[in-house]
Amino acid sequence: MTVSKKSALRRKCSHVSLLVAAALSGGALFVSPALAQSSSGQNSAAEEAEEVIIVTATKRGQTVLQAPLSVSVVTSQTIEDSGATNTSELATLIPSLVVSNSQGPVQSNVGIRGVTTAGGSAALEPSVGIYVDGIFTDRTSIGIGDFNDIAAVEVLRGPQSTQFGNASPAGIVNYVTKRPEADFGGEVRATLGDFNKQQFAASVTGTIIPNEMLGRISFYSNKRDGFLKNLAGKDMNDQNSYGVRGKLLVAPEGPLQLTISLEYSKTDINCCQPVWDNVPEALYARFATGSQQYPFNGTGAPLPRNQVKGQVIAVDGASTFEQDLVAGSFDFRWKFGDGFELASITAGRQANQTSASDVDFSSLNLINFPAVGRTNRHISQEFRLTSPKDKALTYLLGAYFFQKNVEETSASVINPQLAAIGGGGIFAQFSPSANSIKNRNAALFGEATWEVSEKLSFTGGLRYNYDDKKISAFAERLRQNGTPLSPRQTIPDNKTQRDGGEWTGKLVAQYDWSNNWNTYASYTRGYKAFGINDDANLLRNIPGADYFFDSEKVDNFELGTKGYIEPIRTSLSLVLFNMDYSNFQSLASFVDTNNQLRFFLQNAASVVSKGAELDFVSRPTKHLTFSGGVTFLDATFDSYPNAQGPSGKIDLSGKPLSDAPQWSASLVARYERPIGENLKFYTQADMFYRSDVYTELTYNLLQVQKAHTKYNARIGIGQTGNGWALEAWGRNLTNEITFGRATSAAILGQLTSVLPFVGVASYPTGTSTLKFTSEPRTYGATLIYRF
């Protein structure tokens, strides 16, 4: 077998101390924290780093340092020590990652480098691809639930369209679940905390048939009361979910391997309502004096104003989200010849979702969506051929197919007394709508690396994507007696189907200055596929609007350097990036004939996201590890002269993107040392900083989330290796209440603007702001037993 000198050097030196064993946060490069707990002070850096982290999402078996891209890998130990249980909490460990929550899990958006998915429409491709074990899941709500039995979370920043296709123009997040192991073992965790938190998780793995089959099964249950105190109904933003995952690994030692994975999870929560802030005195007084003035005033509960810190609301209607998720995959690997591997990954996923929402966000019985249903089905197939790794020329070839079918039904219901005003000719009491979406994507792709010398290598990649999208939809506005208030709306026949192809690719040059340090320069072409707006009311409310929006394209230029400085036991990574977007898919808004704020997609002319990402890990002693990261970001609309706002056309050219903080940073300190012969003490503290950020494209200063810092901590004692451990923990220790989304309260004012027709005063919302807030300070204890 011919082995390149460069490959041999890399294997021999293992990139000396791939980040010294223990990056615990901050968008840094991560390795297992267990490596940071060496029992001997005489170990060399190379010996401490003999276990390296492979980035599975590169599909080429590269380590964090070898991969010529901006990447963070957060290990299971890091996740556990930080107390993160979901994607939103994970974002505090990676500065470039932003998760914004609003009216429910479906509307939660993930962003990288200031670019987030513009809305929760199923007709829209995400800007950040969400993957589980390399399998595309489309949205966070149907990706992964609690971080139970997770081996790592990989975040690849910047376009990844060559290997991942049309849904990764800003990057990807890949959740890697733990694989079956031959040795019998497992773990049981039980957590109690404030807000009546009760969390339980267990996993077990081992050999089922010697040399033939390994297995792994895990289970979790997570319950917690809502942290939003509701004066007019159930407390909101609780947790209530459980799930089970099973894996079988067939022929673990042979050239033919099959991994079968099945999982089921259930979520049933009361979520999500905003807190009222910046409430004018006139609106507060109107609620206080008018509880019996008109039947739809509901409970008569006062309006909790300016309660962001106290997290108090008063909402009479139901706001719920329920999901049943089933997923399965067959991962077949065949190793043949002199180091070749053929992979076939077949996967399916289905999520059945039901939600309800009180969208006047108050104790008034005005308008709600009592039953929104969505069924989301995925199937995918990927084939990959990987060449032997120890050659001067290595390559990967692949083919991919993905199909998504989404069925949605919805209806808004207005209080009968309100709908009767004006003889029933102003508001529709019942407004049903539905849509059916079918997206198909097929692709051929390849990537090759040529090691020109022991120090210099070039990588090139190319992918052709073909997309076919179909949609049908209707929307109606009905009076109390069931007759139409206006004609039934559908998407025009010539706007229900669209198809086309797109080329993407990348070029990378990488130079190894030494065994411990390298620099790369890269150009990547990414895209997000075109789409069709799924709101059948679009043309009625905005004449001349286009149901079609075009493919978004991005040209990304990166210059990165990363390596290990052995004298100071520190690893560093610095990446400079410039991402130029054309036809950027942006969320526009309008107010419909029921005075509801609606959204649709349109193309902005161009967007530029540029900045720098610095990550580090330092281990000054064998007991102490520091890690962290800093991101500087400048993400703006370079040109957007015809943006559609609620009141008409506006020019957003030169304005910053929403969810794009200029500065973000994280820092983690972990200390661990033995106590006697078989006990250890450990503690971890971490902090996260984010500068001011606009939460909406209205650029209303009342909707700006101000700069803030959050702190988490954990302290524990337990047996070394297997055995018991007891931990006490706290998150958001200073009780810093932040919000991921803030909107105006215009809907309340608009719906009550007709009350003077019946001699009743309207509700002046004025400067009122609705803020979807994050969790307050939480604390608790966790008991762990490993075997």
Side-chain angles (χ1 to χ4, degrees):
M1 178 178 66
T2 302
V3 180
S4 73
K5 293 181 179 179
K6 186 176 181 181
S7 296
L9 280 172
R10 281 183 172 170
R11 191 172 63 251
K12 179 180 179 182
C13 297
S14 190
H15 266 291
V16 178
S17 166
L18 183 54
L19 302 183
V20 190
L24 299 176
S25 88
L29 307 127
F30 293 89
V31 219
S32 169
L35 290 156
Q37 319 307 324
S38 171
S39 61
S40 171
Q42 305 302 316
N43 286 358
S44 69
E47 287 171 337
E48 289 173 353
E50 65 177 327
E51 180 184 343
V52 298
I53 291 296
I54 302 299
V55 186
T56 66
T58 66
K59 303 182 182 180
R60 303 190 68 183
Q62 294 173 304
T63 66
V64 177
L65 274 184
Q66 290 171 340
L69 75 164
S70 184
V71 57
S72 297
V73 181
V74 188
T75 67
S76 59
Q77 186 66 63
T78 301
I79 294 170
E80 292 167 3
D81 289 343
S82 71
T85 60
N86 53 53
T87 304
S88 180
E89 294 172 348
L90 175 73
T92 64
L93 298 175
I94 303 175
S96 292
L97 187 67
V98 174
V99 179
S100 59
N101 299 314
S102 56
Q103 284 182 257
V106 174
Q107 286 76 33
S108 295
N109 293 323
V110 179
I112 294 177
R113 293 178 174 175
V115 177
T116 61
T117 304
S121 169
L124 172 69
E125 306 291 351
S127 294
V128 177
I130 305 299
Y131 291 78
V132 177
D133 292 327
I135 298 168
F136 183 54
T137 67
D138 189 47
R139 291 293 191 274
T140 54
S141 61
I142 60 174
I144 202 80
D146 281 25
F147 287 170
N148 177 49
D149 221 28
I150 296 294
V153 181
E154 303 169 341
V155 180
L156 279 58
R157 297 173 288 213
Q160 306 298 323
S161 296
T162 303
Q163 292 196 12
F164 291 95
N166 67 352
S168 57
I172 72 161
V173 179
N174 183 39
Y175 300 94
V176 184
T177 61
K178 292 182 178 179
R179 291 170 57 84
E181 300 174 11
D183 294 333
F184 176 76
E187 180 181 278
V188 179
R189 287 175 169 264
T191 296
L192 296 177
D194 59 339
F195 295 101
N196 195 29
K197 183 177 182 64
Q198 303 172 46
Q199 189 173 17
F200 177 82
S203 63
V204 63
T205 187
T207 298
I208 299 176
I209 303 174
N211 301 318
E212 296 294 334
M213 184 181 293
L214 311 180
R216 186 179 197 98
I217 190 167
S218 62
F219 170 82
Y220 75 89
S221 174
N222 185 15
K223 294 184 178 181
R224 191 205 63 198
D225 293 343
F227 61 79
L228 286 182
K229 181 175 177 58
N230 189 2
L231 303 180
K234 291 183 178 180
D235 291 346
M236 289 287 164
N237 294 14
D238 58 11
Q239 294 177 345
N240 182 23
S241 62
Y242 64 88
V244 61
R245 180 187 302 115
K247 281 190 172 186
L248 293 176
L249 176 56
V250 182
E253 303 298 330
L256 297 173
Q257 290 186 2
L258 174 64
T259 302
I260 303 172
S261 179
L262 295 172
E263 68 175 289
Y264 170 79
S265 66
K266 172 78 172 182
T267 302
D268 188 359
I269 57 177
N270 295 288
C271 179
C272 301
Q273 283 287 320
V275 177
W276 287 73
D277 200 12
N278 307 306
V279 176
E281 183 64 32
L283 181 60
Y284 181 70
R286 180 70 181 86
F287 268 88
T289 59
S291 61
Q292 302 302 320
Q293 195 172 11
Y294 209 69
F296 57 74
N297 278 8
T299 65
L303 177 67
R305 59 173 179 168
N306 310 332
Q307 284 288 341
V308 171
K309 188 72 173 179
Q311 307 248 61
V312 180
I313 62 174
V315 178
D316 66 319
S319 289
T320 60
F321 176 79
E322 184 175 348
Q323 174 178 275
D324 287 276
L325 173 66
V326 179
S329 65
F330 296 87
D331 187 330
F332 173 79
R333 307 293 173 108
W334 176 32
K335 296 179 180 179
F336 65 97
D338 191 15
F340 287 93
E341 181 180 270
L342 179 65
S344 170
I345 300 129
T346 306
R349 183 172 294 260
Q350 177 168 321
N352 298 321
Q353 300 170 337
T354 303
S355 61
S357 184
D358 184 338
V359 294
D360 59 62
F361 308 119
S362 72
S363 58
L364 301 181
N365 178 15
L366 293 178
I367 182 171
N368 63 85
F369 286 81
V372 178
R374 174 185 285 188
T375 299
N376 197 327
R377 299 183 183 91
H378 295 175
I379 59 170
S380 64
Q381 174 64 54
E382 182 172 5
F383 296 104
R384 281 198 315 268
L385 175 65
T386 306
S387 72
K389 298 178 182 179
D390 296 326
K391 303 286 187 179
L393 178 65
T394 59
Y395 57 87
L396 177 150
L397 301 173
Y400 179 73
F401 174 79
F402 172 79
Q403 178 173 301
K404 174 175 73 174
N405 294 80
V406 181
E407 305 288 335
E408 296 178 309
T409 58
S410 177
S412 63
V413 179
I414 286 180
N415 183 282
Q417 286 82 14
L418 182 62
I421 294 176
I426 300 176
F427 296 131
Q429 187 191 349
F430 186 60
S431 299
S433 63
N435 59 54
S436 176
I437 299 166
K438 184 175 183 178
N439 292 353
R440 290 180 176 178
N441 171 260
L444 296 173
F445 61 93
E447 184 174 302
T449 297
W450 176 34
E451 294 183 354
V452 180
S453 69
E454 294 178 0
K455 294 182 176 295
L456 180 64
S457 64
F458 294 99
T459 298
L462 198 62
R463 183 183 185 108
Y464 180 75
N465 299 273
Y466 173 78
D467 292 280
D468 181 17
K469 299 192 174 187
K470 298 178 181 178
I471 187 171
S472 61
F474 78 85
E476 295 181 306
R477 301 175 66 234
L478 305 178
R479 297 186 178 92
Q480 289 176 287
N481 60 9
T483 60
L485 183 63
S486 59
R488 178 186 172 106
Q489 300 292 304
T490 60
I491 297 177
D493 290 342
N494 64 339
K495 296 292 185 179
T496 59
Q497 190 273 336
R498 193 177 185 185
D499 65 348
E502 194 73 42
W503 287 96
T504 59
K506 69 177 183 180
L507 292 172
V508 184
Q510 184 174 8
Y511 188 82
D512 287 358
W513 301 97
S514 68
N515 296 328
N516 298 341
W517 205 274
N518 66 72
T519 298
Y520 74 91
S522 67
Y523 163 74
T524 308
R525 174 76 162 184
Y527 96 113
K528 182 164 67 171
F530 54 79
I532 307 172
N533 279 293
D534 59 354
D535 189 345
N537 281 313
L538 183 60
L539 290 179
R540 182 175 64 196
N541 294 288
I542 305 182
D546 196 346
Y547 273 95
F548 286 169
F549 51 91
D550 293 331
S551 295
E552 172 183 296
K553 301 178 179 67
V554 56
D555 294 307
N556 178 49
F557 298 88
E558 285 188 12
L559 178 63
T561 186
K562 55 177 82 171
Y564 178 66
I565 307 173
E566 191 164 356
I568 60 174
R569 303 164 63 88
T570 298
S571 59
L572 292 173
S573 171
L574 175 63
V575 177
L576 308 178
F577 62 90
N578 189 97
M579 302 167 65
D580 291 321
Y581 287 83
S582 59
N583 284 331
F584 183 79
Q585 294 173 6
S586 182
L587 195 64
S589 59
F590 63 91
V591 177
D592 71 8
T593 50
N594 268 1
N595 283 321
Q596 297 178 42
L597 189 64
R598 298 280 191 174
F599 300 94
F600 71 101
L601 271 296
Q602 65 175 186
N603 293 105
S606 60
V607 161
V608 175
S609 174
K610 56 188 177 182
E613 295 157 336
L614 173 66
D615 305 309
F616 77 92
V617 179
S618 182
R619 187 182 174 206
T621 74
K622 66 179 181 180
H623 301 299
L624 180 63
T625 302
F626 294 101
S627 60
V630 179
T631 295
F632 170 76
L633 178 66
D634 180 12
T636 59
F637 289 106
D638 188 53
S639 176
Y640 197 3
N642 296 309
Q644 174 68 46
S647 302
K649 298 288 185 180
I650 54 177
D651 185 357
L652 297 183
S653 301
K655 295 287 188 180
L657 273 64
S658 60
D659 298 322
Q662 187 175 47
W663 290 97
S664 54
S666 65
L667 177 65
V668 174
R670 177 181 171 85
Y671 181 80
E672 179 176 334
R673 68 175 303 137
I675 303 175
E677 294 184 358
N678 63 350
L679 290 179
K680 64 179 179 180
F681 164 83
Y682 54 96
T683 184
Q684 176 174 304
D686 60 89
M687 59 81 67
F688 178 76
Y689 168 81
R690 181 166 289 159
S691 61
D692 292 359
V693 61
Y694 288 100
T695 63
E696 295 284 350
L697 296 182
T698 57
Y699 303 102
N700 184 339
L701 294 180
L702 297 178
Q703 298 172 8
V704 172
Q705 171 56 60
K706 297 296 185 180
H708 60 278
T709 305
K710 294 187 178 184
Y711 302 89
N712 309 312
R714 181 173 296 256
I715 186 171
I717 187 172
Q719 293 178 289
T720 57
N722 290 333
W724 62 269
L726 180 63
E727 301 174 344
W729 53 267
R731 291 188 58 83
N732 191 11
L733 295 176
T734 58
N735 201 32
E736 183 78 25
I737 306 301
T738 58
F739 52 92
R741 187 69 63 216
T743 65
S744 70
I747 189 171
L748 176 65
Q750 292 158 355
L751 286 172
T752 61
S753 64
V754 299
L755 294 184
F757 284 110
V758 291
V760 178
S762 61
Y763 285 71
T765 55
T767 59
S768 298
T769 310
L770 303 175
K771 297 182 176 180
F772 293 88
T773 56
S774 62
E775 291 187 359
R777 175 174 49 233
T778 56
Y779 54 86
T782 300
L783 180 63
I784 308 167
Y785 181 72
R786 299 182 178 94
F787 56 92

